[in-house]
Every structure is written in C-alpha cells, then in structure tokens.
Amino acid sequence: MAVIFCVIPHTQAGHLIGNHTYSHTQLTANNQESFKQEIIKTNEVIKEVTGEETIYVRPPYGSWNKEFEKELNMFPVLWTIDPLDWCSSDVSCIVKNVCTKAGENEVILMHDQYKSTVTAALQIVDKLQKEGYEFVTVDELLFD
C-alpha cells in the first residue's frame, strides 16, 4: 500500500504533492537506510504519476533525520496542531482541537482516511476563513 502525503492531489490547480513514505514507515535509529529508500521509492512513484519532482516530505510520526534534507534535497513538513483525528471520530472535538489552537503560520495534521476527519476539515476551513484565516500551500508558508 502506498501512502503519499498530499495537500490536494492536483498540481495543475497549484497545489503541492509531498512524500509520506511508501508504507508509512517510522524512522528509528535502526532503519535509517531503509527509511531513506522508502522516500526514494515513493519519489519515483510520484514522478512517474505526475511527471514532477517531489521536494516535500511529511515523515510518518514526525520522525526525521536532518541529514536527509541535504542527501535527498527534501524539506520536511511537520505540524504544529495535531487534532488527534486519528484516535477520535467526534467531529466537534476535532474542530474544537484545531480552532482553539489556530494561529498564524500553523500547520494542521489531519488524516483524510477517516470520514470524521473529512467532515471536520470542511467545518474547520469554513470556520477559520470566517475568522479571517487564509489557507496556503506549504511552499508559501515556508518561503514567502
């Protein structure tokens, strides 16, 4: 099963696609090389499908080796808000967890394989936009 991090899977609309490893491997002290190979393998799949190079990686569990940035020429995308959507199906709780912590330049971690997360994400976007927040891609956040 390939797991690929993507902001929204459509580069023609100006969105970014990033790497989340091929099989959601967690980096440990004992698997540095195999983890790196997971990233390389996933980059190859993304390039094959999209025709574009991938420079962003959202490492599973937030585990990352800073040396990989130079070796792989990739930027890690970590998060500042974890609404715990992976362990709760309570939409209102997920929305509250994000909206009460929201601030400028936050990165929200969400897992779209859960129906409750998708529902919550739509509510979060609506609520935060009404409060004046603007959603941007990772490159805009990191480099503007």
Side-chain angles (χ1 to χ4, degrees), residues 93-112:
C93 183
I94 296 167
V95 171
K96 182 180 177 186
N97 281 342
V98 171
C99 292
T100 59
K101 297 174 185 171
E104 189 173 346
N105 297 325
E106 301 286 1
V107 177
I108 304 164
L109 171 68
M110 298 190 89
H111 303 82
D112 65 357

Side-chain angles (χ1 to χ4, degrees), residues 21-91:
T21 72
Y22 198 82
S23 60
H24 207 257
T25 300
Q26 182 171 10
L27 176 65
T28 67
N30 298 325
N31 73 350
Q32 300 280 320
E33 188 57 35
S34 63
F35 183 85
K36 187 165 67 170
Q37 291 308 312
E38 284 257 334
I39 293 172
I40 292 167
K41 179 180 181 179
T42 306
N43 280 348
E44 290 169 355
V45 171
I46 293 170
K47 171 113 184 188
E48 189 176 307
V49 171
T50 68
E52 297 186 23
E53 300 287 333
T54 306
I55 63 167
Y56 298 101
V57 58
R58 210 291 275 152
Y61 311 99
S63 303
W64 183 245
N65 179 337
K66 192 109 172 100
E67 293 174 12
F68 289 164
E69 291 171 34
K70 192 170 191 174
E71 287 179 44
L72 300 171
N73 193 31
M74 297 187 79
F75 296 97
V77 177
L78 301 176
W79 58 91
T80 56
I81 298 175
D82 181 358
L84 304 174
D85 63 311
W86 49 272
C87 66
S88 172
S89 60
D90 183 339
V91 171

